[in-house]
Amino acid sequence: MKEHSYRLYALIILMIQISIHASKAQYTIPPRMEWWYEARFGMFIHFGSYSYLGHGEWAFSEENWTKSAYQTQVSANFNPSDFNAGTIARLAKNAGMKYLVITAKHHEGFCMWETDVQSFKDITGTTMYDLPDYTAFGTRDILQELKDSCEAQDIKFCLYYSILDWNHSSQEINRHTYYSNMASESARTDYIADMKVQLNELITRYHPAVMWFDGDWTYNAGSPTLSSWWTKSDGEDLYNYLRSLDTAVIINERVCRSFSLGDFDCPEKEVPDTPLNRPWETCQTMNNSWGYKIWDQNYKTPATLIREMVKVVSRDGNYLLNIGPKGDGTVPEQSVKVLNQIGEWMAVNSESIYAATRSPFASEPVWGYYTKKPGKLFAHVFEWPDNGILKIPSLVNSIKKIYTLTETTTSISFADSNGYIRLSLPDTAPDPMNTVFVLDVSGIPEASSEFIKVTDIVITGENGAKTIDTYGGSLQLSATAYPLDATDNTVSWTVSDTNVACIDAEGLLTAKQDGTITVTAVANDESDIRGRLRITISNQTTGDQQFRDQTTVRIFPNPNEHGILNIIQTGKPKSELVIYDIYGCPVMKHVISEKSFSFDISSLSTGFYTIRISDDASVFIHKLIKS
Ligand code: FHN
């Protein structure tokens, strides 16, 4: 190596784009969650006294109700006399749903069961604020009825519970953030104690398989204040308390979101770009509302919902699809229609959903998604290829036969060569909504043509060494480096163990077997490259760009109407956040140190903004709407 003593502090703009993929799940599922992980598809039910009003479950906040007016004019008139648990359980069963989560208490604070916890009274302090005591509905226990009907249909019964409680005497709604402020520290501690007693009621009386928490927005990682009165340690304590009551219960992350608490993440109305690093579930509305809204007839089609469910499962998630019963307890006709049509597809294709897991491939085809289970790869085709050929990247597995779930006895001819399995298709799709091809294989389906799994990139500072796991195949490495005063702006590569992999041609990494290697980039003038390096690794065989920005950024809720904006980053979090108004003027700045970060933007006036999240290597820019 030429004696170059000078060091280069090259600030090299780097976007490390690496898809981290593996055919193996990247996390283990605890035994108590196996039924949930295999169920994949559940029903969400938003049902409360707000259903009587028919303006959605946020009516108390959005319509500026007072506690007294809401209780006497809305809750008191709620009478779900036509609620039929058997009908709802059969609807879920026919749709192919394996579990059901119903709101026991939403933000309104109205309890759908007979609670004995005395602080959950109406504003007069004389009557329990719950269905049997506060309405003319009578003494029926609809949660018990629904639990019994679910069990008769082999559906797991689960409960939703809001930590936030707009009608409880301990707190008042914050008309600015729409969350709630605690009256005092003692009110806070008393409320939390009473909430635990209520949860004990729910756990011991109904034994829900999942406790689905929500309304934890007023959280912070440190000590509580009257407006930020729920803390990370409260969430940890709540989780441990529930697990002490029932070791089998599964609990979502919203005991206190953003800290990876609970047993699974719950992205809402969105599907993560890539599988998350622990079990997760997307919850979704059938129209645009959770609770019944008279005017919301904007229902998604069954095809849209099936496609989203398949997309979720192909990224190793669960799908919780919501219905909002009317005030009388009946299910809106359009919801019934959509669920029945989903059920028709599930009756033929549920094998590709139940107990199916993430795609074995890092990149997704243009025509649909993959799911898999031991012995089978499922190719969900939503767009029928015009040329009559379906291309699937080759597998390491031997293929026994290929057929569709629509016509299981008809074998599909195929050829497997040059990195692809090519299926010859009939002119028209057997199922125009989503034809599912099944590749019967030996073992767990595993990609052969997409193989280099890039684990944590180790940037050593000098030479930009990278650590890559290999298990067969080849990848193109390329880099653009700008040593400030190097004679030649290109780089060459070396690998640490040529028994595991080698670089035959400029930048073509050929992996020979399972193993970890270190790829070292050296500037052609052999100077040290200091700083961080842009590595673009594209799959030589398929030519697909296999990258997703290793750092993905989620900002939600956006549009933002409630004030708190959540930022969740995967990978190494970017550090600086700036919000610009439509004139390009910075209106808010934050330094981010955690992957999950939340802050209040309620001071921003309604309008369009640009949010820029960056570090010295990369930038994330997105539109933000403050509504
Ligand atoms: O505010 C609630 C909303 O009413 C609904 O319950 C959804 C369902 O996940 N969760 C909150 C909004 O994020």
Side-chain angles (χ1 to χ4, degrees), residues 263-284:
D263 299 311
F264 63 92
D265 285 350
C266 28
E268 184 167 314
K269 292 188 172 182
E270 60 174 15
V271 182
D273 287 343
T274 54
L276 300 182
N277 56 14
R278 69 171 186 158
W280 59 276
E281 170 197 78
T282 281
C283 55
Q284 179 59 278

Side-chain angles (χ1 to χ4, degrees), residues 44 46 57-58 106-107 160 212 214 217 254 268 283 290:
F44 212 172
H46 275 69
E57 77 287 358
W58 269 76
H106 204 269
H107 312 333
Y160 166 113
W212 211 100
D214 205 3
W217 295 286
R254 294 184 187 179
E268 184 167 314
C283 55
W290 298 104

Side-chain angles (χ1 to χ4, degrees), residues 110-419:
F110 183 79
C111 300
M112 295 294 276
W113 77 101
E114 183 171 16
T115 182
D116 299 322
V117 185
Q118 292 306 300
S119 72
F120 290 86
K121 280 196 170 81
D122 71 341
I123 194 158
T124 66
T126 60
T127 310
M128 294 306 290
Y129 190 48
D130 65 33
L131 182 57
D133 293 305
Y134 201 70
T135 73
F137 177 64
T139 56
R140 283 172 57 191
D141 182 344
I142 64 166
L143 296 186
Q144 187 63 51
E145 291 175 13
L146 191 54
K147 175 183 170 66
D148 295 342
S149 297
C150 281
E151 289 176 351
Q153 300 291 344
D154 193 24
I155 290 174
K156 295 280 191 181
F157 179 74
C158 313
L159 291 174
Y160 166 113
Y161 187 93
S162 174
I163 294 166
L164 181 75
D165 188 327
W166 286 323
N167 267 293
H168 192 268
S169 56
S170 62
Q171 52 200 285
E172 291 292 339
I173 187 167
N174 177 325
R175 295 293 176 189
H176 201 52
T177 63
Y178 313 110
Y179 302 148
S180 73
N181 293 334
M182 274 294 166
S184 64
E185 177 48 33
S186 61
R188 186 187 89 89
T189 47
D190 292 349
Y191 173 70
I192 293 173
D194 286 350
M195 180 170 72
K196 284 180 170 177
V197 177
Q198 264 205 340
L199 289 166
N200 194 331
E201 284 181 349
L202 291 172
I203 293 282
T204 50
R205 202 177 297 179
Y206 305 108
H207 303 289
V210 175
M211 274 308 301
W212 211 100
F213 286 94
D214 205 3
D216 58 324
W217 295 286
T218 59
Y219 68 82
N220 74 64
S223 306
T225 64
L226 297 187
S227 59
S228 182
W229 54 268
W230 186 251
T231 67
K232 177 184 175 186
S233 62
D234 290 329
E236 290 164 337
D237 178 54
L238 180 61
Y239 177 83
N240 295 330
Y241 171 67
L242 285 163
R243 292 297 311 281
S244 71
L245 294 177
D246 180 345
T247 55
V249 70
I250 299 169
I251 303 160
N252 72 332
E253 68 169 326
R254 294 184 187 179
V255 285
C256 192
R257 70 187 72 196
S258 298
F259 302 108
S260 295
L261 301 183
D263 299 311
F264 63 92
D265 285 350
C266 28
E268 184 167 314
K269 292 188 172 182
E270 60 174 15
V271 182
D273 287 343
T274 54
L276 300 182
N277 56 14
R278 69 171 186 158
W280 59 276
E281 170 197 78
T282 281
C283 55
Q284 179 59 278
T285 53
M286 209 173 278
N287 45 16
N288 290 323
S289 310
W290 298 104
Y292 177 58
K293 252 182 202 169
I294 298 165
W295 59 83
D296 185 352
Q297 296 305 315
N298 186 17
Y299 283 81
K300 303 170 183 73
T301 64
T304 298
L305 295 165
I306 288 168
R307 183 167 192 145
E308 186 167 70
M309 173 170 63
V310 168
K311 181 178 177 181
V312 162
V313 177
S314 80
R315 297 176 186 173
D316 219 32
N318 278 26
Y319 196 57
L320 189 64
L321 183 58
N322 182 73
I323 62 170
K326 299 179 183 176
D328 63 2
T330 59
V331 180
E333 286 173 24
Q334 191 58 28
S335 296
V336 172
K337 190 177 172 188
V338 168
L339 284 173
N340 287 340
Q341 287 178 279
I342 291 174
E344 288 169 13
W345 183 85
M346 284 292 279
V348 174
N349 301 285
S350 62
E351 177 188 354
S352 66
I353 299 293
Y354 298 147
T357 60
R358 74 177 67 192
S359 165
F361 305 112
S363 49
E364 292 173 342
V366 291
W367 40 259
Y369 301 97
Y370 298 105
T371 60
K372 74 176 191 301
K373 59 179 48 170
K376 293 181 188 295
L377 175 73
F378 301 100
H380 297 258
V381 182
F382 291 90
E383 273 83 43
W384 201 250
D386 295 334
N387 64 357
I389 299 290
L390 191 71
K391 280 173 63 177
I392 298 174
S394 294
L395 298 168
V396 298
N397 317 71
S398 59
I399 301 170
K400 300 170 190 169
K401 68 174 177 176
I402 299 178
Y403 55 95
T404 68
L405 289 177
T406 316
E407 296 162 357
T408 56
T409 57
T410 306
S411 285
I412 306 281
S413 63
F414 67 93
D416 186 358
S417 60
N418 300 325

